[in-house]
Amino acid sequence: MNKYMQLALEEAKKGLLNGEGGPFGAVIVKDGKVIAKAHNQVLSKKDSTAHAEMEAIRKACKVLDDFSLKGCILYATGEPCPMCFSAIYWARLDKVVYCNTKKEAKEIGFDDEFITEVLQGKTAPTIPFVQQTHTTCKEILKLWEEKEDKTPY
């Protein structure tokens, strides 16, 4: 095990023992330097998005003062869930190294398979998503499209 995964495991243990959340930790590294460390804080923050990977991405973006984490590697104690997987792509990380699999996490009560199945179209969504169209809503898209000083992402 490399030193970055060891740090991720230490973070996971810290959060778990402090009752902050599940057994998950994450570390983001750029050019051999640790940019951010985080652990799951779903319970302590009462925030369902406070997964270790999400927290590490938020911290790394602040440290680098950028929304892009190109050139960075994420070390995570668990295979990322669908939310974290998406955030990893939005953050443009170069690579993800993980330890425990989704199957192993499911065996101890952390099951995100139902979300993956909805995303893959294998299962019907249980939460209704209803589009409410209005011409005013389209104006905000047009405003972005016409904005000359926008930063595409």
Side-chain angles (χ1 to χ4, degrees):
M1 173 181 314
N2 75 23
K3 62 184 178 182
Y4 305 122
M5 187 61 77
Q6 184 61 44
L7 286 173
L9 285 166
E10 289 169 15
E11 275 294 310
K13 189 173 183 180
K14 180 170 75 173
L16 183 149
L17 294 177
N18 289 334
E20 296 182 77
F24 305 102
V27 171
I28 295 179
V29 176
K30 183 171 186 173
D31 300 326
K33 181 182 174 198
V34 174
I35 302 300
K37 298 186 295 184
H39 54 269
N40 184 293
Q41 295 182 66
V42 168
L43 300 176
S44 61
K45 288 190 171 185
K46 295 176 180 33
D47 178 353
S48 56
T49 70
H51 290 195
E53 299 92 331
M54 300 293 286
E55 294 295 302
I57 287 169
R58 289 175 182 130
K59 286 179 180 182
C61 287
K62 277 188 178 180
V63 168
L64 297 176
D65 194 28
D66 199 345
F67 63 84
S68 174
L69 297 179
K70 286 181 183 174
C72 295
I73 299 172
L74 170 72
Y75 292 85
T77 60
E79 184 176 0
C81 74
M83 174 183 66
C84 295
F85 179 90
S86 297
I88 287 162
Y89 271 85
W90 278 115
R92 294 167 176 78
L93 285 147
D94 283 9
K95 184 178 180 179
V96 175
V97 179
Y98 66 91
C99 209
N100 299 313
T101 66
K102 287 182 174 192
K103 183 178 184 243
E104 291 168 315
K106 181 178 180 176
E107 290 170 359
I108 62 162
F110 292 93
D111 185 12
D112 61 24
E113 191 172 6
F114 70 101
I115 299 169
T116 302
E117 288 179 352
V118 170
L119 291 171
Q120 292 174 340
K122 294 179 181 177
T123 305
T126 56
I127 299 172
F129 282 66
V130 181
Q131 182 183 16
Q132 184 180 42
T133 59
H134 193 278
T135 55
T136 308
C137 291
K138 305 302 180 209
E139 291 172 9
I140 195 70
L141 298 177
K142 184 102 174 123
L143 186 61
W144 172 261
E145 183 180 41
E146 294 171 352
K147 184 173 171 50
E148 293 186 21
D149 64 341
K150 67 184 168 215
T151 302
Y153 62 94

